[in-house]
C-alpha cells in the first residue's frame, strides 16, 4: 500500500474532520491577511474540499480503477 492509498483511505474515513481542518486553515489565513485575499482563500477552500471529497469517494467506492492514481507507482 502506497502513501497515496493511505491518504485516500484516511480521507474516506475522516472526511468531516478534513473539511473542518480546511475551514479552520482558511479562517486563519483570512484573518492573518486581514481579509485582503478572502476571495482567493474561499476559492482555494472550495477546490481543496472538492478534491478531498473526490479522493474519499474513490477510496470508499472501490469501483474506480485499480487503486493507482495518475502517478502510477506504488
Amino acid at each position: 500500500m502506497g502513501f497515496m492509498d493511505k491518504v485516500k483511505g484516511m480521507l474516506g474515513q475522516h472526511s468531516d474532520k478534513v473539511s473542518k481542518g480546511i475551514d479552520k486553515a482558511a479562517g486563519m489565513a483570512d484573518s492573518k491577511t486581514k481579509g485582503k485575499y478572502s476571495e482567493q482563500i474561499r476559492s482555494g477552500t472550495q477546490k481543496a474540499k472538492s478534491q478531498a471529497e473526490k479522493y474519499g469517494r474513490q477510496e470508499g467506492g472501490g469501483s474506480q480503477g485499480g487503486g493507482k492514481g495518475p502517478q502510477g507507482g506504488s
Side-chain angles (χ1 to χ4, degrees):
M1 176 180 271
F3 175 74
M4 285 304 293
D5 292 329
K6 290 180 184 179
V7 171
K8 289 177 185 179
M10 292 173 78
L11 284 172
Q13 294 172 0
H14 305 288
S15 61
D16 58 330
K17 291 180 182 178
V18 171
S19 181
K20 286 180 185 177
I22 292 170
D23 285 335
K24 187 173 182 177
M28 184 176 290
D30 198 33
S31 71
K32 292 288 183 180
T33 60
K34 296 179 175 71
K36 184 176 180 179
Y37 300 103
S38 292
E39 189 59 38
Q40 291 87 342
I41 291 169
R42 190 174 307 115
S43 174
T45 300
Q46 290 172 346
K47 290 177 184 178
K49 285 183 177 183
S50 174
Q51 288 299 308
E53 289 174 10
K54 174 184 165 187
Y55 285 126
R57 281 194 308 269
Q58 283 180 354
E59 184 61 26
S63 62
Q64 296 184 2
K68 298 214 186 236
Q71 293 84 15
S74 37

